[in-house]
Structures are given as C-alpha cells and as structure tokens.
Amino acid sequence: MTHRCRSRSAALVLAAAALAAAAPPARAATPDREAKQRDWFTNTALVTQRGEQVRFYEDVLKDHVVVIQFIFTRCPDACPLLTQKLVQTRAAMGGDLGERVRFVSISVDPKHDGPAELAAFAAKQGSAVPGWIYLCGKKENVDLVVKRLGQYVEAPEDHATLFIAGNARTNHWLRIRPDAPAAVIARQ
C-alpha cells in the first residue's frame, strides 16, 4: 500500500469517526418517557399461544422492533393470507434480522380464540417459530390494546388488514399496506 493510499484510508477512518461523534445520540428511554409509553400502549395482561400471561408493553413491545397484525382463527381467507405475507416477510429479512424483529399477531376474536386455537393457527400457517407471538385474553383487555393501536372494530370480520411496525424505544411507528410485496415490507 502506498503512502498516499494509507493517508486516504486514515482520512476516511478519521472522517467516519468524526461523523459518528457528531451524530446525535440514540434517545435513551428515560423513566418518564418509558412510563408514558407504558401508559399509552398499556401494560394490560394478555395470554400467548403457549398459555403464558404477558404484559403488553413490558413483555411484548419494550426493547423490541415489532410487526403487529390483527387476526381471528376462524377467518377463512384474509387472516391466513396476511399471515403468509408476514411469513414471507420474515424470510425476506433473512437470518439474524428476521430473528431480531418480533412478529405479534393479536386475535380480535377473544370469545373464540384461546391459546389452543392460536397455537393451531400458528402451526397451520408455518408461523409457530421463535420470535412470533400470538396474543389473546379477556375481551376487555384485548379491546383496550386494539383500541390503543387504533384498530378496534365491533365485529372480528371487520378488522383492519394493515400491519403496524414500530419500535417503542425510538418511538418510530408506521402502518404498512398488506398488498405490498414481502421484500418491501421487510425493508420498511
């Protein structure tokens, strides 16, 4: 390597270090900010497809990048198709990235969907994988969470088909259309 190349390499390394130092620090979740997030999203108790009780904010959202969908297991068409889109999205993310994003499927039909129904649906859809959580629970608890996410409807078959992706730590949230290709959803 010539002296000129070494000088350019050193200059690039120094420039990169200067940019990193000048970049604004990642927003840490202060106790007040975290309390506001917990209050907004609620820390409502829900139940997973394995029958485990979890708190929505602390156990599902906090410290995770999530993709949320709304389903009901008796749905004959849209819910299986949407779940397959997320299975494809997870595959498009590839290995490590696909495992760092948590997929969350919330049943909007708590009267009929319990842990056993959710586990059977997940197995049938090929989504019974680590990092994918199906949630159900008492109607009032599920309704509260779904309302906070802006997706409450009276009848399960009227539920939204969009996906919600976000990160509570950075407070970055977006709605994703389900007709987008899996690769596009993965990039978002």
Side-chain angles (χ1 to χ4, degrees):
M1 184 184 280
T2 67
H3 176 68
R4 182 182 245 169
C5 288
R6 274 186 255 143
S7 295
R8 283 186 187 157
S9 296
L12 287 173
V13 169
L14 289 173
L19 283 173
R27 290 193 295 180
T30 62
D32 286 345
R33 186 166 177 250
E34 188 172 310
K36 286 178 185 178
Q37 289 174 335
R38 184 181 305 107
D39 288 346
W40 172 254
F41 289 109
T42 82
N43 212 21
T44 302
L46 296 174
V47 179
T48 71
Q49 74 271 28
R50 291 179 289 286
E52 302 162 336
Q53 182 172 313
V54 294
R55 295 283 176 182
F56 187 64
Y57 177 77
E58 286 181 15
D59 300 324
V60 177
L61 298 183
K62 183 181 172 184
D63 298 328
H64 295 281
V65 174
V66 296
V67 177
I68 301 170
Q69 79 170 135
F70 305 93
I71 60 127
F72 64 104
T73 62
R74 297 177 304 130
C75 177
D77 44 28
C79 297
L81 290 172
L82 294 171
T83 303
Q84 286 306 303
K85 177 68 69 121
L86 289 183
V87 167
Q88 295 165 7
T89 298
R90 189 171 189 270
M93 288 179 173
D96 185 44
L97 181 58
E99 293 180 14
R100 288 187 294 162
V101 175
R102 176 176 280 177
F103 288 81
V104 181
S105 299
I106 302 174
S107 171
V108 293
D109 190 10
K111 290 181 183 176
H112 296 98
D113 290 342
E117 290 79 13
L118 293 177
F121 183 87
K124 184 175 182 179
Q125 298 305 317
S127 58
V129 296
W132 198 314
I133 300 173
Y134 280 80
L135 296 172
C136 61
K138 294 178 183 175
K139 181 170 176 25
E140 60 271 16
N141 291 359
V142 171
D143 287 353
L144 177 59
V145 167
V146 175
K147 284 176 184 176
R148 288 301 172 107
L149 294 171
Q151 302 306 308
Y152 178 78
V153 293
E154 288 292 325
E157 56 275 1
D158 294 335
H159 74 84
T161 57
L162 60 82
F163 304 125
I164 297 175
N167 182 336
R169 185 181 55 78
T170 63
N171 202 29
H172 181 76
W173 295 91
L174 56 110
R175 292 181 171 150
I176 302 172
R177 293 173 44 122
D179 58 349
V184 171
I185 295 172
R187 279 194 304 273
Q188 290 179 329

